[in-house]
Amino acid sequence: TKLSNGLPTPGEDLEYCNTFPGFRTAMAGAGQRIMHLAEGVLRQQGVPALRASADNDERYERVVDMSDRLLEQVDLMHDATQGMTNTTKHTLTDASGTEAGAEGPADPLRKQLLRPQLKWTVDNSDAPFVPALHAKPNSIVPLDE
């Protein structure tokens, strides 16, 4: 982190540093190595290759999505080993209403993710509100009754 914070930021610092051929060569080489490593991890996880014209933002999004899927797999496997699996299965949907993650190898696991809000009971009747809390053990201000 300390070394990465020492790199020039976009703007005047980066423009100045880019005037040195050695800096440009080093940064281009480091960028290519990082992209090669990221694409290798994606290939290992079965994520389809990006087209040659893909920009860095697309590549970054692909790596973030793959990381999310791997962490979801780890979480599900951890829960399974702890005996915390639930038989109720719900699919996740994105903002457009379509199933999320329709393009990756972890989709069967993603479809099994539980949505805790489905366990909530919501009373939208005209009855007056009755708070569920009867005490506030760590409160600074006491709960008015």
Side-chain angles (χ1 to χ4, degrees):
T1 304
K2 184 177 182 180
L3 292 175
S4 67
N5 287 337
L7 291 173
T9 57
E12 290 181 23
D13 292 341
L14 184 60
E15 290 176 16
Y16 173 72
C17 290
N18 275 332
T19 61
F20 298 101
F23 178 81
R24 278 195 314 265
T25 303
M27 289 294 104
Q32 288 175 346
R33 283 192 307 274
I34 290 170
M35 293 309 292
H36 179 71
L37 288 171
E39 288 172 358
V41 171
L42 291 171
R43 268 194 311 275
Q44 179 188 21
Q45 294 301 317
V47 177
L50 284 171
R51 62 188 185 284
S53 64
D55 64 352
N56 288 338
D57 288 339
E58 289 179 70
R59 294 174 196 272
Y60 178 77
E61 286 294 322
R62 187 68 62 97
V63 169
V64 168
D65 288 343
M66 187 257 329
S67 298
D68 286 344
R69 288 182 185 152
L70 287 174
L71 289 172
E72 287 171 4
Q73 285 178 337
V74 168
D75 188 43
L76 287 172
M77 290 177 191
H78 177 262
D79 287 349
T81 60
Q82 299 296 318
M84 296 171 40
T85 57
N86 193 336
T87 58
T88 310
K89 296 177 182 163
H90 302 285
T91 58
L92 292 176
T93 56
D94 62 14
S96 65
T98 60
E99 277 191 22
E103 78 271 3
D107 290 336
L109 292 174
R110 176 170 264 189
K111 290 178 183 176
Q112 295 176 8
L113 291 178
L114 302 176
R115 299 178 72 188
Q117 63 268 37
L118 294 175
K119 296 179 185 177
W120 300 340
T121 57
V122 179
D123 180 16
N124 287 331
S125 68
D126 291 331
F129 174 74
V130 178
L133 292 178
H134 300 292
K136 292 171 52 178
N138 298 320
S139 67
I140 295 173
V141 178
L143 180 65
D144 295 331
E145 294 191 35

